[in-house]
Amino acid sequence: MPLTTFSAIMSAFCMLCYNIPFFQFVTANNDSALWQRLTLIAGLTVVMFAINFWVCYLLLFLTRYVGRILIAFTHIASATGVYFVWVYQTLLDGTMMENFYHTRWSEASTFFSIPMFLWIFFTGVLPAAYVLIQRIDYGSWKRLGITSAIAVGISLVCALTQFNQFLWFGRYDTQLGGLLMPWSYIVNSGRLAAQYYQANREEEPLPDAFLSPVEKPIAVILVIGESARSANFQLYGYSRATNPLLSARSDLHVLPARSCATYTSAAVTAMMQHTSSSTLYEALPNYLFRHGVDVVWRSNNWGEPPVHIDEFLTMRDLRKQYPEADDKHEGVLFAGIKQRIEASDSSRVFIVLHTSTSHGAQYDAQYPNDFQVFRPVCHTVEEGRENLPGLINAYDNSIIYTDYLLNSLIDSLATIHSHNCALIYMSDHGESLGENGLFMHGVPMRIAPREQYEIPCLIWLNNPFIHVRSFEHPVDQQYIYHSVLHLLQMQSPIYESEKDFFENERQTE
Ligand SMILES: [Zn+2]
């Protein structure tokens, strides 16, 4: 059989046998006009067929029998996967694959049943056997070139015609990705492996710091904002009252700032590294922890570099610790900070709160109802394309909530007499709210619009001996490391005074 015919059979079989739930999901969750839905389904069918065909062709042509074994394996895996999707309504997303790899045999065996084995036998094992025994005429390199060009060309044209569904794909990417066989489990397993590698990556150690004894214990709190852009902060000149509480303070420093990246993990990594480099150096919490600083990291987000400390708390941990706090929103992330600082027996405390307060695509889900000041709101970025004022209302309400959280934290820090306290708030990146037709964030930094990198940076201190420098140029995330070292009075060879928010006594003398 020619490889072209064989690959076409494989691709069609994969679509009919393993991808019906994917198409059911598309039909059930897209409410655009009928003709748009029909072209979407037709486009997806063609792209799915062409890509699976091409990958099968390429794999078999280049690796011959190794490719056959891999394809045979995906038949059995896809048959098993789609069985669980049908029967248990699961998605083969990242979480499910993580569960899968951590499941013990005794747990897994409770799912076994005769219908399951029959289904896997007929739609997985038999096709796999066929893949291994069918004789194939692999053809020439020239045929490979022509076939590849046609398959890739058709896929690109179809993808471009569906560009108007871009936001819809963004909204349902987890579900669509979790149903698309065989890519759901392949891509999500790859991602897990990458995460595992990332978490276990060796850090390049930094030279030791010198910690002089301090007269009064020090506490530094870093609040990492999510998708907060300075354009919508009243403190930065926005015409709406999005910072009613912080604007009334006279003790707050407002710095011009820009982010180093337009997506979370790169921006948070920039904050946690002392220099911009592809090498992973000892991240700030790890460096401080190694020197005996009492370090706490509380996260309602992700994308942190590997953090090796004793007190890394997720929302699940915090809900257990503070059952009375607002556990649907960020309240629980901010709960009990004062008590935590006062209870510390170290002379230096560093607390990071990694928030997700203005994260799309549902801004209005990020704050409690009391903060629905601007109305009406629309619920998703997708709706916001038709109703921009509603989207901006929801986004602005999330900034009002941020204002409340930060102001309450400052009020509570101001009542601490045992420690010199400092609070730094900086967003990870900005956000597009329809300017030039763009939404959300993540445009590569070289071409990113300013809305995606102009971010707020706020500082509050109760230490009269530390002064914030005045900046004409924007500060960026690389300032965090050096400023925190300064606040905690740690003398380190890696410290750079140019990347410090605060005046250095030696400079001012
Ligand atoms: Zn982010």
Side-chain angles (χ1 to χ4, degrees), residues 21-44 161-173 175-176 179 382 385-386:
F22 174 86
F23 284 104
Q24 281 179 324
F25 182 88
V26 175
T27 330
N29 290 282
N30 191 295
D31 45 14
S32 49
L34 181 65
W35 70 269
Q36 279 179 320
R37 247 181 303 160
L38 289 176
T39 47
L40 175 67
I41 303 246
L44 283 171
T161 58
Q162 297 306 317
F163 201 71
N164 58 344
Q165 299 278 2
F166 183 69
L167 281 174
W168 182 82
F169 281 112
R171 180 172 169 195
Y172 291 111
D173 58 350
Q175 291 92 327
L176 293 169
L179 291 171
E382 205 191 347
R385 285 213 303 179
E386 311 296 325

